[in-house]
Amino acid sequence: DIQMTQSPSSLSASVGDRVTITCRASQGIRNDLGWYQQKPGKAPQRLIYAASSLHSGVPSRFSGSGSGTEFTLTISSLQPEDFASYYCLQHNSYPWTFGQGTKVEVK
Amino acid sequence: DVQLVETGGGLIQPGGSLRLSCAASGFTVINNYMCWVRQAPGKGLEWVSIIYRGGTTYYADSVKGRFTITRDHSSNTLYLQMDSLRAEDTAVYFCARVSLDYVDDPTYYYYTLDVWGQGATVSVSS
């Protein structure tokens, strides 16, 4: 099974900060990776597919990059509504696996 | 409106069985890939299972042989039959539609969980 190691597990940031989250795959997964945002008590929402393509309606301050084993999600200027948890999900092979998540908190 | 609504959660003793339902509206379940994802209390997301349009299924190692994903066309509903339940199966269970997107090559798809239900809580305890 492919393991997804996500870091950091949590971070504290302020509105306007640039935030970067990393996911590392235990083996190459091409760019078969998506990013999701989850707010407390809610279902996750899609952000990015194919590692770097933004889904329709997602603000352009979100961006993704990477291929193979290293992937990043960047929020260029953190907004109040971005305080949430973020997860990567690989769909290169079964079983699909999520990263452990990153909680973005208010500094 | 495209919507998923899960029902069937509850408290069950270890070793028991439970069936979750996920009723879809605004789209047809059998024409889509559908999956289940769970989240244990205070923990991260865990992918559980997927069913393809053609009926092919895959499972996480942790539930293989105990859980079964199915769907019913007449009721437009996705199901998760959970048998031999364990304490570690305690979680909120989300159903989700899987969309297939492509970037440059129309024959290579990227999978996105694009529509999610609100979640159903399953507690396994004696």
Side-chain angles (χ1 to χ4, degrees):
Chain A
D1 297 0
I2 296 173
Q3 311 302 318
M4 300 301 297
T5 303
Q6 188 172 336
S7 61
S9 57
S10 66
L11 64 90
S12 298
S14 301
V15 171
D17 284 354
R18 182 182 182 87
V19 167
T20 299
I21 298 167
T22 297
C23 262
R24 186 171 289 114
S26 59
Q27 64 191 71
I29 59 168
R30 297 174 49 133
N31 60 339
D32 297 333
L33 181 122
W35 289 96
Y36 296 81
Q37 177 193 68
Q38 187 183 31
K39 296 182 178 178
K42 301 292 187 182
Q45 291 188 304
R46 64 185 187 179
L47 294 174
I48 284 171
Y49 67 101
S52 60
S53 296
L54 212 62
H55 276 294
S56 173
V58 175
S60 59
R61 63 180 179 273
F62 290 92
S63 64
S65 65
S67 184
T69 61
E70 287 276 330
F71 302 88
T72 59
L73 172 70
T74 300
I75 308 172
S76 60
S77 178
L78 199 65
Q79 297 302 299
E81 59 270 30
D82 301 335
F83 291 99
S85 294
Y86 294 85
Y87 296 88
C88 62
L89 170 64
Q90 72 80 18
H91 60 79
N92 178 264
S93 66
Y94 290 108
W96 291 0
T97 41
F98 284 95
Q100 300 94 323
T102 297
K103 187 174 183 179
V104 178
E105 299 175 301
V106 178
K107 181 183 280 185
Chain B
D1 256 13
V2 173
Q3 193 176 8
L4 293 168
V5 178
E6 297 105 333
T7 55
L11 175 63
I12 187 78
Q13 291 190 335
S17 296
L18 206 58
R19 188 179 77 161
L20 299 181
S21 300
C22 170
S25 55
F27 72 98
T28 304
V29 165
I30 64 165
N31 291 340
N32 285 269
Y33 290 33
M34 300 290 298
C35 76
W36 290 94
V37 172
R38 69 183 181 183
Q39 186 167 36
K43 302 296 185 183
L45 301 171
E46 180 185 15
W47 177 84
V48 172
S49 181
I50 190 169
I51 185 165
Y52 286 8
R53 281 190 291 258
T56 299
T57 59
Y58 292 94
Y59 298 91
D61 294 343
S62 58
V63 307
K64 199 176 299 181
R66 300 187 300 122
F67 289 13
T68 305
I69 187 171
T70 58
R71 70 262 170 104
D72 177 69
H73 181 46
S74 62
S75 61
N76 204 29
T77 300
L78 177 74
Y79 298 101
L80 185 67
Q81 176 67 41
M82 304 183 292
D83 298 321
S84 303
L85 282 161
R86 307 166 180 167
E88 54 265 35
D89 296 318
T90 294
V92 174
Y93 285 73
F94 298 99
C95 61
R97 186 180 72 176
V98 182
S99 67
L100 277 59
D101 303 293
Y102 67 89
V103 178
D104 298 315
D105 178 357
T107 66
Y108 193 87
Y109 292 103
Y110 298 91
Y111 299 95
T112 296
L113 282 57
D114 71 334
V115 179
W116 295 69
Q118 84 287 357
T121 300
V122 173
S123 297
V124 184
S125 174
S126 54

